Amino acid sequence: MTFDQFNFLREELKEVEFKSVEVDSLRQIKDAAEISLIRRACEIADKTFSEILNFIKVGMSENEVAAEMEYLMRKFGAEKNSFDTIVASGVRGSLPHGIASEKKICAGELVTMDFGAIYGGYCSDMTRTICVGRASDKWKKIYNAVLSAQLHGLEVIKIGVGGKAVDEAVRNKLKTFGLEEYFTHSLGHSLGIEIHEEPRLSKLSTCESLEKNMIVTDEPGIYIKNVGGIRIEDTVLITERGAEPLTHSPKNLIEL
């Protein structure tokens, strides 16, 4: 509330003691209704990805692709996109937050798409990296390393594990491929009515123990300056059986 609202209530309710409350902790564990809405938001993202594969062509700008994705999300029931859609092709893939630009997509380039839909007030978040044309052997090798790390994240995300521990486990996986220096952001975050909520999966996470019905992202990425990059991301529900991805789009390297 605003300071003016606080002063008004304090005058009107003199017998009431007001205390500051951190709301983040109240939103960390999702109830059944919230999970259902996030599932639907993830379904919209999955349908959008499936359709955009039939749209992307060499010579299109990143902005054209982003505009089509945002149109598709609305068409499939989204209120709007969760955040500014990221479409980063070629060398721009080295930008973790490469908002779509006028750059044209060239043959043989990787294209990273990070996007999400809002449905019923709740967000989804997904990233897939594809190749428009044939990928080089170098990029195939890096892609498989990122995918291996992302799948490892799904194995270690479970009840009782801390946010720092999950982040560290995935970094160690990338270290086995000699790529850890190119992973320059945290592994993941929660989401709900906002796209970034607590808990975080990061070196600085304050979450000592993940709990049932928390929702987090699992999104390792490799970013090689002035060369390119790859990221793969799922929205993940924590259950008694472990991590359940709510985004189901294929994660094998797609070459269009």
Side-chain angles (χ1 to χ4, degrees):
M1 68 179 70
T2 66
F3 185 66
D4 183 60
Q5 290 171 328
F6 170 69
N7 277 335
F8 172 78
L9 290 173
R10 188 167 54 177
E11 288 298 316
E12 294 296 314
L13 304 170
K14 295 183 182 296
E15 72 282 4
V16 174
E17 179 184 1
F18 290 88
K19 294 184 177 180
S20 179
V21 175
E22 290 290 338
V23 298
D24 276 346
S25 61
L26 303 178
R27 298 214 305 261
Q28 288 188 26
I29 298 175
K30 271 55 178 182
D31 62 28
E34 291 176 305
I35 292 169
S36 178
L37 292 170
I38 295 171
R39 281 187 190 277
R40 181 71 181 106
C42 288
E43 289 172 4
I44 292 170
D46 279 329
K47 290 178 70 175
T48 297
F49 179 72
S50 178
E51 289 294 320
I52 205 67
L53 296 178
N54 300 317
F55 178 81
I56 298 176
K57 298 290 186 297
V58 170
M60 284 185 176
S61 72
E62 295 170 347
N63 276 335
E64 286 179 87
V65 176
E68 181 70 9
M69 295 178 79
E70 291 170 7
Y71 160 72
L72 287 168
M73 285 189 281
R74 292 293 294 270
K75 177 182 176 181
F76 295 141
E79 296 157 24
K80 58 182 178 179
N81 40 301
S82 301
F83 49 90
D84 289 338
T85 300
I86 291 172
V87 179
S89 61
V91 68
R92 292 192 73 253
S94 63
L95 304 172
H97 303 291
I99 301 300
S101 73
E102 280 301 307
K103 180 192 172 300
K104 304 292 185 182
I105 297 170
C106 299
E109 285 189 332
L110 296 178
V111 181
T112 296
M113 295 170 284
D114 187 347
F115 60 102
I118 294 179
Y119 182 83
Y122 283 80
C123 300
S124 61
D125 192 359
M126 183 174 86
T127 307
R128 293 293 187 269
T129 301
I130 66 167
C131 187
V132 181
R134 304 293 293 179
S136 68
D137 290 342
K138 171 190 173 181
W139 281 121
K140 286 180 180 178
K141 185 176 180 180
I142 295 173
Y143 186 95
N144 288 333
V146 175
L147 178 57
S148 178
Q150 203 269 344
L151 294 174
H152 186 57
L154 295 178
E155 293 175 354
V156 297
I157 291 172
K158 59 184 65 175
I159 294 171
V161 181
K164 288 182 181 178
V166 177
D167 181 88
E168 183 179 11
V170 174
R171 289 181 192 280
N172 287 338
K173 187 68 172 179
L174 287 171
K175 191 173 184 178
T176 66
F177 298 99
L179 295 170
E180 70 279 7
E181 68 178 289
Y182 302 109
F183 181 25
T184 55
H185 56 71
S186 60
L187 177 64
H189 55 87
S190 187
L191 71 166
I193 60 176
E194 295 182 27
I195 193 59
H196 292 107
E197 297 184 356
E198 295 292 338
R200 311 282 172 143
L201 306 181
S202 74
K203 294 178 179 179
L204 302 177
S205 176
T206 59
C207 175
E208 297 183 357
S209 178
L210 295 171
E211 297 184 43
K212 179 181 176 182
N213 290 345
M214 285 182 171
I215 291 181
V216 295
T217 63
D218 172 19
E219 50 180 304
I222 293 298
Y223 313 97
I224 304 174
K225 188 176 180 180
N226 298 323
V227 178
I230 294 168
R231 180 165 66 253
I232 305 170
E233 174 189 18
D234 285 320
T235 295
V236 178
L237 172 66
I238 299 171
T239 75
E240 292 177 344
R241 299 176 300 281
E244 178 193 343
L246 301 182
T247 40
H248 300 291
S249 295
K251 288 184 284 194
N252 57 296
L253 178 57
I254 295 171
E255 297 174 300
L256 299 179

